[in-house]
Amino acid sequence: MDRVTTTDRRTALRAGAGLVAGGALAAGCATTGPAAAPAAPARAPAAKATPLTAPAPRAFPRQPAQITHGPRDRPRIALTFHGQGDPKIATALLTEAEKHGARVTVLAVGTWLDTHPGMARRILDGGHDLGNHTQRHIAVNTLSEADALAEITGCADRLKRLTGSIGTWFRPSRAPAASPLVQRLAHRVGYPHVLSYDVDSLDFTEPGAPAVTRKVLAEVRDGSVVSMHFGYAGTVAALPAVLQELDRRGLRAVTTTELLS
């Protein structure tokens, strides 16, 4: 963990103004700040920060309601991350991806956004996709209709409040695919598609960075959607080798929206 913390200190220095803005949100200062002294009559009032606006969900007519991968005839893949855990590790992962010119998709848990609201801006400012992974990350497929709907709308409401959008994607929590009921509920909330995956890194089992790297690279191919997680130091350690090998194979890591566009 010391290694990750060191990386994060360097990350904070490199991230500049974007991370400063994110830190303000995390501190609860997104819409308020220190009281300003009255402006002199000859001076214009200070400009307000531009509100964050995020892309809305899109329908992809040639794609199924539940997407597991993108086109198999283009050298692109999507790295998708369960958004929860230590924000320092999350920031390290995002910075590592950006250093390699990669863009990722983050499916955020609502309670994580409640605790770390600045991460929404950090993700979007980096050019990444941001989506919904339910409010509490419980087994959504096992819930009643009312409770499942509350899980989906709870996270959607938080994304809307923080970013102006319910997010570009929905992924069910604690399941690789949505049940028919959850799929219908997600569509009702405003998500034309449910995002699944065809490559599971199993990084959440903490097998070590070499094992994560081997698992991903053994299965990834054109159009793959890879499931990974924030919150694990081994994922941070694995990402450089994964991205380097993808580059060697000519596979670009792009957002899911770009993968399907």
Side-chain angles (χ1 to χ4, degrees), residues 14-253:
R14 287 197 296 265
L19 279 179
V20 171
L25 279 173
C29 301
T31 58
T32 61
R43 297 177 62 184
K48 293 182 179 180
T50 303
L52 180 64
T53 55
R58 285 175 52 188
F60 293 88
R62 289 185 290 178
Q63 294 295 332
Q66 188 147 216
I67 295 170
T68 57
H69 63 81
R72 295 299 195 188
D73 58 353
R74 288 185 290 178
R76 299 176 178 178
I77 64 99
L79 299 177
T80 67
F81 288 86
H82 157 129
Q84 196 175 27
D86 187 342
K88 293 181 179 180
I89 295 178
T91 300
L93 281 163
L94 293 170
T95 302
E96 187 64 38
E98 292 156 9
K99 188 165 65 177
H100 287 265
R103 295 295 178 265
V104 304
T105 300
V106 180
L107 293 313
V109 176
T111 53
W112 185 68
L113 293 174
D114 287 340
T115 306
H116 308 291
M119 287 307 302
R121 181 177 293 276
R122 174 64 185 87
I123 292 161
L124 292 171
D125 282 352
H128 310 288
D129 274 357
L130 176 62
N132 179 332
H133 198 38
T134 73
Q135 176 59 17
R136 295 176 295 161
H137 197 254
I138 57 180
V140 68
N141 285 347
T142 68
L143 300 178
S144 69
E145 180 172 348
D147 288 345
L149 182 62
E151 282 295 310
I152 300 168
T153 57
C155 187
D157 289 346
R158 280 149 182 81
L159 286 165
K160 180 81 171 178
R161 185 179 68 243
L162 288 170
T163 74
S165 165
I166 64 171
T168 46
W169 299 100
F170 168 75
R171 173 173 287 169
S173 48
R174 298 194 180 277
S179 68
L181 171 62
V182 169
Q183 188 173 308
R184 289 196 302 272
L185 294 175
H187 191 271
R188 185 193 305 176
V189 173
Y191 300 99
H193 305 279
V194 170
L195 181 60
S196 184
Y197 48 87
D198 64 326
V199 178
D200 190 347
S201 69
L202 298 179
D203 58 347
F204 63 93
T205 66
E206 299 188 81
V212 172
T213 302
R214 285 194 301 271
K215 181 75 162 58
V216 172
L217 295 177
E219 298 178 18
V220 73
R221 59 192 179 108
D222 289 3
S224 283
V225 175
V226 183
S227 173
M228 304 182 84
H229 293 71
F230 284 172
Y232 296 96
T235 308
V236 180
L239 194 58
V242 169
L243 292 171
Q244 287 164 12
E245 178 60 17
L246 292 175
D247 285 345
R248 191 191 70 78
R249 297 182 190 181
L251 288 171
R252 287 183 59 216

